[in-house]
Amino acid sequence: MVSSLFNNNTRITIDDNGRIRLGGSTGINFNETIESIVAARRQPLNLIRDKISVNDKRVTAFNELKALAGTFRTTVDKLRGSTSFIADDAFRARIGFTTSVAASGAPITHTPSAAGSILTVSVEKDTALSTQTVNVRQLARAQQIRTDAFTSRTADLTTLGVTAGTYTINGQNIEVVAGDTLDSLRDKINAANATATPTNVSASIVSVSPTEHNMVLNSTKTGTSNQITFGGTQAVHNSLGLTNTGTDTVKNQLQSAQNSIIRVNGVAVDIERQSNTITDVIAGVTLQLAKAEIDTDVRIEIGSDLGKIKTEIINFVEAYNAVRDFVIDQRTEKVRTGDAEDPDAEKEFGAIAFDAQFRQFISQLDAFVAFQNPTAADGFQSLSQLGITVNEQFKLTINETTLDDRLLSNGAEARKLFSFTVGTSDARVSYISSTASTQPNGSNPYYLTIAGTDGSGNVTSAVLRTTAGAGGLGVADGTVTINGNQLTFTDATGANGLTVFFNGTPSLGLISDIQITPSRGVADQMFFTLDEMSKTLGTADSVTTALADNSADLEAQITRAEERIAILREQLVARFARVEQALAEANNLSNTISQLFGTNNNNRN
């Protein structure tokens, strides 16, 4: 602590916090007076700090809501159909179910092997729903050959009768030099296969006995197109026993190369492929052959992956309930700071319980839960008809028995409840995209009239109507914008933002009243609300940015006020120092006068 004398009776000190303090002989506590005045000036700042604290709590709450909405958005995106921002659309997923049956003409005593032991399947999304039959008649095999037997795997090959020199395997040079052993030659062959231009041949050593060793070459690819070939110095591969003397033909073949052979859908035509993995026979289906069994047909039923759809619906419910738990917490009055068991502890609602944008967001989600799609079949028009109902806390619950029954009975109608779908009466029209503004025409279709196409097949003009027979000659009127074959409907109708593709031939004439029937499901509608809340620069970010800006302004107010209070304090210290000085001088004068009177009285006596 630093101190100095203001005068003979007044001392000014600077405490450890840097504050100037008075200390004199008057007995009056001017420091307490100063601090009281300063504290009174600071009182409004506490209210500002409270506002900052409230802002911080609201920012935290909106960030939590943003995260929950983002998770929900991701889940919803997997159920909203081909408009999905991601490729993992549950309703486009496919699965292949396999069963085995005796083939036509099989012996009556034949018992088919399990389908999975003959082949397995994987199915791409959007593959056409169908049933196919596959008969595996032959598996593809890789060629396998060996050298002659050598008495040692570590002895110099040139001492065992092998000719030194360079030969080729599938076009790659392999050099045999003095000092090479069967082991080192194996390593050279494997090294050649590990280059940027591999031989597709691997080598290994098989020891029949301590004095009988063979090197075995395996083609790493199946099929007759991948047989092992030899070239270069013929004497080298002849001396190894890989080829017959005087030729490049294989000498010791352990397994010949062969193609896979299958027949499909009972047609007696052999389909050959180089591999046991077949991707180009049934569109969208990969066959992985495991065993040939001519007397057995494997029936493949390609269907929607109902397990994946159900999983995503369950995830949808859980994500919704997570948001609802947050809502319940915000709207519940409870102790949020301090001891919850303290009966005197203050209870309060969540930081954004009464926020207008939060309430609007929740209101929208509540409306979506009550969503109905009248264009769907009975039993698929609402979440409740699918077995998803609302409990007393406004959370969703699932009756899995009802959900399973609905998915099994008609997965396409279940999709309409969740997804954005577009039906069309003309196969040349296909859906491309839509926006949040795209709406159905009630229970009726829109009617597209195309005036025709030019010599390149591009649409010349088109109109969209809400009733049949109103399109006239399709003369452009602002209801459709055209980019070649791509048609986008404008805000002149409820189909605003819907884009379709017309795959017509060149020089077509008038095409009237193509029916376009968009249907918006609950997941598709929810997506845009969730996206707006959770996306970068969306609702949550806008709110938190505004709150942060407001807090920064309030902090600046506090800083300016503290600067003014610091100046005021200095002024008060100086002012009261002068008061204390004046009082001290008055006291001194009083004491001097008293002393003078006292002296005079003594003289009189």
Side-chain angles (χ1 to χ4, degrees), residues 460-474:
T460 55
S461 68
V463 297
L464 189 71
R465 293 287 183 267
T466 57
T467 57
L473 298 178

Side-chain angles (χ1 to χ4, degrees), residues 524-535:
D524 178 59
Q525 295 207 31
M526 275 187 173
F527 174 84
F528 293 99
T529 295
L530 294 167
D531 184 57
E532 182 58 36
M533 179 58 69
S534 61
K535 70 181 181 182

Side-chain angles (χ1 to χ4, degrees), residues 420-439:
F420 184 98
T421 59
V422 176
T424 175
S425 62
D426 191 319
R428 293 172 294 182
V429 176
S430 58
Y431 165 72
I432 295 179
S433 64
S434 59
T435 69
S437 301
T438 306
Q439 298 297 330

Side-chain angles (χ1 to χ4, degrees), residues 497-514:
L498 177 61
T499 299
V500 299
F501 183 81
F502 180 70
N503 188 25
T505 57
S507 305
L508 288 175
L510 179 67
I511 308 165
S512 299
D513 289 341
I514 299 173

Side-chain angles (χ1 to χ4, degrees), residues 247-444:
T247 71
D248 291 336
T249 60
V250 172
K251 178 182 180 182
N252 299 304
Q253 182 164 262
L254 301 176
Q255 178 174 281
S256 62
Q258 68 180 31
N259 297 333
S260 62
I261 300 176
I262 63 173
R263 291 182 179 180
V264 176
N265 295 334
V267 179
V269 176
D270 288 344
I271 300 172
E272 288 195 46
R273 293 294 183 268
Q274 296 291 319
S275 171
N276 289 316
T277 301
I278 301 176
T279 61
D280 60 348
V281 173
I282 303 172
V285 178
T286 296
L287 304 174
Q288 185 64 53
L289 309 185
K291 182 172 72 172
E293 193 168 304
I294 293 176
D295 290 330
T296 299
D297 286 341
V298 176
R299 184 174 296 153
I300 304 169
E301 183 180 349
I302 301 169
S304 296
D305 190 344
L306 299 182
K308 181 176 179 60
I309 294 171
K310 180 180 178 181
T311 295
E312 295 304 339
I313 290 175
I314 291 173
N315 291 340
F316 167 89
V317 168
E318 290 176 349
Y320 176 87
N321 287 343
V323 174
R324 179 56 62 183
D325 284 336
F326 177 80
V327 174
I328 292 171
D329 178 73
Q330 287 293 307
R331 291 178 171 178
T332 300
E333 190 176 21
K334 64 180 184 179
V335 176
R336 297 180 183 273
T337 56
D339 184 3
E341 302 299 325
D342 182 0
D344 297 324
E346 182 181 358
K347 294 183 178 181
E348 54 185 332
F349 291 99
I352 61 174
F354 305 105
D355 181 271
Q357 288 173 303
F358 174 62
R359 294 169 66 185
Q360 180 183 10
F361 172 74
I362 299 308
S363 176
Q364 289 173 321
L365 290 190
D366 289 344
F368 292 142
V369 170
F371 168 86
Q372 289 192 342
N373 184 353
T375 66
D378 186 37
F380 298 88
Q381 295 180 352
S382 66
L383 290 175
S384 61
Q385 289 186 349
L386 246 64
I388 303 171
T389 55
V390 180
N391 65 16
E392 64 278 2
Q393 292 183 303
F394 296 97
K395 296 172 68 174
L396 297 179
T397 61
I398 300 177
N399 183 320
E400 292 199 35
T401 300
T402 302
L403 178 60
D404 290 344
D405 177 70
R406 293 292 187 270
L407 293 178
L408 286 169
S409 65
N410 198 332
E413 290 301 312
R415 177 179 186 175
K416 288 177 69 175
L417 176 63
F418 285 95
S419 303
F420 184 98
T421 59
V422 176
T424 175
S425 62
D426 191 319
R428 293 172 294 182
V429 176
S430 58
Y431 165 72
I432 295 179
S433 64
S434 59
T435 69
S437 301
T438 306
Q439 298 297 330
N441 183 28
S443 300
N444 301 311

Side-chain angles (χ1 to χ4, degrees), residues 94-99 115-124 127 130 132-134 136 262 276-279 282-290 298-303 305:
R94 298 290 184 264
I95 191 169
F97 301 95
T98 58
T99 55
S117 69
I118 298 173
L119 63 82
T120 56
V121 299
S122 59
V123 187
E124 296 177 5
T127 297
S130 63
Q132 312 283 346
T133 301
V134 175
V136 181
I262 63 173
N276 289 316
T277 301
I278 301 176
T279 61
I282 303 172
V285 178
T286 296
L287 304 174
Q288 185 64 53
L289 309 185
V298 176
R299 184 174 296 153
I300 304 169
E301 183 180 349
I302 301 169
D305 190 344

